[in-house]
Amino acid sequence: MSGWVAVAGLGPGDDALITPEVQQTLDQATDIVGYFPYVARVAPRKGLTLHASDNRVELDRAAHALQMAAEGRRVVVVSSGDPGVFAMASALFEALGSGPEEWLDLDIRILPGITAMLAAAARLGAPLGHDFCAINLSDNLKPWDLIEHRLRMAGRGGFAMAFYNPRSKSRPRQFGRALDILREECGGDTLISFARNVSKPDETLNTVTLSAATEDMADMRTVVIVGNAQTTRLGRFVYTPRSAP
Amino acid sequence: MSGWVAVAGLGPGDDALITPEVQQTLDQATDIVGYFPYVARVAPRKGLTLHASDNRVELDRAAHALQMAAEGRRVVVVSSGDPGVFAMASALFEALGSGPEEWLDLDIRILPGITAMLAAAARLGAPLGHDFCAINLSDNLKPWDLIEHRLRMAGRGGFAMAFYNPRSKSRPRQFGRALDILREECGGDTLISFARNVSKPDETLNTVTLSAATEDMADMRTVVIVGNAQTTRLGRFVYTPRSAP
């Protein structure tokens, strides 16, 4: 039987958000590859080998998955959310481009999942119901100046925004700088929502104005959504209208 | 039994991309509300009433769903893709804001789905693997000038982009204007992908440079994805690296 590799999105945490396509592919796999907490979401069974690895070894993990597929194994690389949004799909192609040419003939599939910003938006109401940007606030793989520039362009374009990786222990201060830029570009009355551990038992949601936002409202488990000038509260919901003036 | 309304995303077309959460909610419904082709995707059964309506009556449809929920019915408003991305969730909240105050106490849930751009990105490889914008190119609910401004801001920010509703019979020319702006802002070598009827039997994928792109490559069933300056082809795939210089 010939091998394959699939990069699959497990969604934000609740198994009811895993697509049947992903579940069926997991059921056919011989090997699961990924970051510890995502591999831990796959039920062990006979004939299935779990290869859990630490964060920040994405390229090694991707090359290992491709190598096993080349050897005839059926490999699923698991990502949280959607694999194409700040997750493992791009890393897999980077490893593919650095590997032996015959890897290009492998059966490679990317299986979409519910990405964190859309799960968060659904819990909040519809804050991304108009044009929006998705920005990874981590400067591990790009200069911080570029992030600041993108925040300004997004603000001047009147986009709503969703931020991944807003803040970590090693980057405690940059999110405060991002909030300053957003207040300058969008005004202090614009709504900002902090959605932490969406779809998990300890989910929390918090919406304030940019004026009232502070950097400690976010951590690595938080998706941050900034509205546009029309974004409004309605009862317990936050939504962005479909129309713009 | 008390009523509720859920706005549910059916994904791009393949039933294997419908989440278990959405399927379970459809199974509990008494009424399905939505645009004809989406309602047609729900299997009829005893005790379930299907309310299919035409396009462009989103607010009437949303108010009808809320009214039925207030009367104790269990209503699912069906959207394609994700309901929060250029779909029915914002329309529901607009109708909620215009309706009787007691509607605010209704049990309202938004159930995420696989949105078209992420299904398309997965089929192409990983073209949205870095910061990106999602823009609705229809000027039905916003001025065309604002769309042009957003294209320029997105281009200057070095964002990848996904376009919904790029072109229709009533708007045959605007997409050509959008391509002109993109060539100006991003350069002619940037990759653009046209993904039509993603996940359906007649799916087509086409990637060219902006120089070679023409407006007739898109229609209302096409999601268009524009890469950033780093986006590259690799065999049959298109991907955007995680890093930026």
Side-chain angles (χ1 to χ4, degrees), chain A residues 16 18 20-21 84 90 94 104 106 128 130-134 136 141-142 149-150 156-158 236 240 242 244, chain B residues 16 18 20-21 84 90 94 104 106 128 130-134 136 141-142 149-150 156-158 236 240 242-244:
Chain A
I18 298 178
E21 179 182 68
S90 284
E94 291 169 36
L104 284 172
L106 287 171
L128 300 177
H130 196 81
D131 301 334
F132 67 93
C133 298
N136 184 346
L141 294 167
K142 64 190 167 194
H149 175 64
R150 286 184 178 156
R156 287 175 205 177
R236 62 195 181 281
T240 302
R242 297 166 302 154
Chain B
I18 298 178
E21 179 184 69
S90 284
E94 291 170 36
L104 284 173
L106 286 171
L128 300 177
H130 197 82
D131 301 334
F132 67 93
C133 297
N136 185 345
L141 294 167
K142 63 190 168 196
H149 175 64
R150 286 184 178 156
R156 287 176 204 177
R236 62 196 181 282
T240 301
R242 296 166 302 152
S243 57

Side-chain angles (χ1 to χ4, degrees), chain B residues 11-23:
Chain B
D14 181 344
D15 285 351
L17 296 176
I18 298 178
T19 66
E21 179 184 69
V22 166
Q23 191 57 57

Side-chain angles (χ1 to χ4, degrees), chain B residues 58-80:
Chain B
E58 288 84 359
L59 283 181
D60 294 345
R61 188 190 293 155
H64 182 215
L66 288 160
Q67 182 58 48
M68 287 193 290
E71 290 163 3
R73 304 196 61 88
R74 302 187 297 276
V75 185
V76 180
V77 180
V78 286
S79 263
S80 75

Side-chain angles (χ1 to χ4, degrees), chain A residues 139-162:
Chain A
D139 65 347
N140 285 340
L141 294 167
K142 64 190 167 194
W144 176 255
D145 282 354
L146 180 61
I147 297 173
E148 290 200 2
H149 175 64
R150 286 184 178 156
L151 292 172
R152 291 195 188 280
M153 292 300 104
R156 287 175 205 177
F159 287 97
M161 303 175 214

